[in-house]
Amino acid sequence: MRVHIATDHAGLELSHALIEHLSAQGYEMVDHGPQSYDPLDDYPGFCIAAAQAVVADQEAGVDALGIVLGGSGNGEQIAANKVPGVRAALAWSEATAKLAREHNDANVVAVGNRQHTIEEATRIIEWFLAEPFSGDERHVRRIGQIAEYELERG
């Protein structure tokens, strides 16, 4: 699976740790930045680029998901969700990570580095990446309703 990752300065250490850890587990990691610490960086561009890459890969039939990181994960989730076709979910536990995939077919996970240790955040992301979408009709229908609204508003 290809995994696109982006962060702001608050998540940079976690991003580097995840790239190393997930690469060792066989994931193809694509880093959308930033590459170095800048406390004044602007995360939206990094997160939007990662989200766009997830959508492009999925449209091309590539098995891909995304990770966006920040202090809380909220702003990064908001930025990613501006990309048509993205369903970014803020995850803070095993249940929220798994349900985001199982029920919502989320294709991007947002995690707040200042809310978790690196070990906790890594587990949350591993749960997200490992959980398949259930494909249940009710979830497919609801996701379709969201996508329809997105297209109408586009």
Side-chain angles (χ1 to χ4, degrees):
M1 174 187 292
R2 187 175 297 158
V3 179
H4 297 274
I5 189 168
T7 187
D8 73 350
H9 62 277
L12 191 60
E13 180 184 2
L14 175 57
S15 178
H16 290 164
L18 285 167
I19 290 168
E20 182 178 326
H21 176 76
L22 294 173
S23 292
Q25 289 191 343
Y27 291 98
E28 178 188 348
M29 300 301 295
V30 181
D31 187 359
H32 292 271
Q35 301 307 312
S36 60
Y37 181 82
D38 177 359
L40 300 177
D41 66 6
D42 293 323
Y43 63 83
F46 303 126
C47 295
I48 289 168
Q52 288 172 323
V54 168
V55 171
D57 273 354
Q58 289 182 336
E59 288 176 350
V62 176
D63 187 19
L65 292 172
I67 302 166
V68 294
L69 308 167
S72 69
N74 284 311
E76 295 74 22
Q77 176 199 26
I78 292 167
N81 273 321
K82 298 302 177 185
V83 175
V86 167
R87 291 175 305 283
L90 181 66
W92 61 89
S93 66
E94 178 180 4
T96 58
K98 289 182 172 185
L99 287 170
R101 290 285 305 130
E102 182 184 356
H103 289 188
N104 307 113
D105 197 17
N107 51 8
V108 175
V109 64
V111 175
N113 183 50
R114 292 181 180 151
Q115 315 307 310
H116 308 281
T117 66
I118 288 178
E119 293 76 19
E120 290 168 343
T122 299
R123 281 195 311 274
I124 290 166
I125 290 164
E126 287 176 328
W127 290 321
F128 177 85
L129 295 175
E131 188 70 28
F133 175 53
S134 70
D136 287 353
E137 188 279 328
R138 64 188 169 126
H139 300 310
V140 171
R141 182 180 68 246
R142 293 167 186 161
I143 292 165
Q145 291 169 355
I146 294 167
E148 184 178 313
Y149 177 79
E150 184 178 64
L151 287 172
E152 290 172 2
R153 299 290 299 171

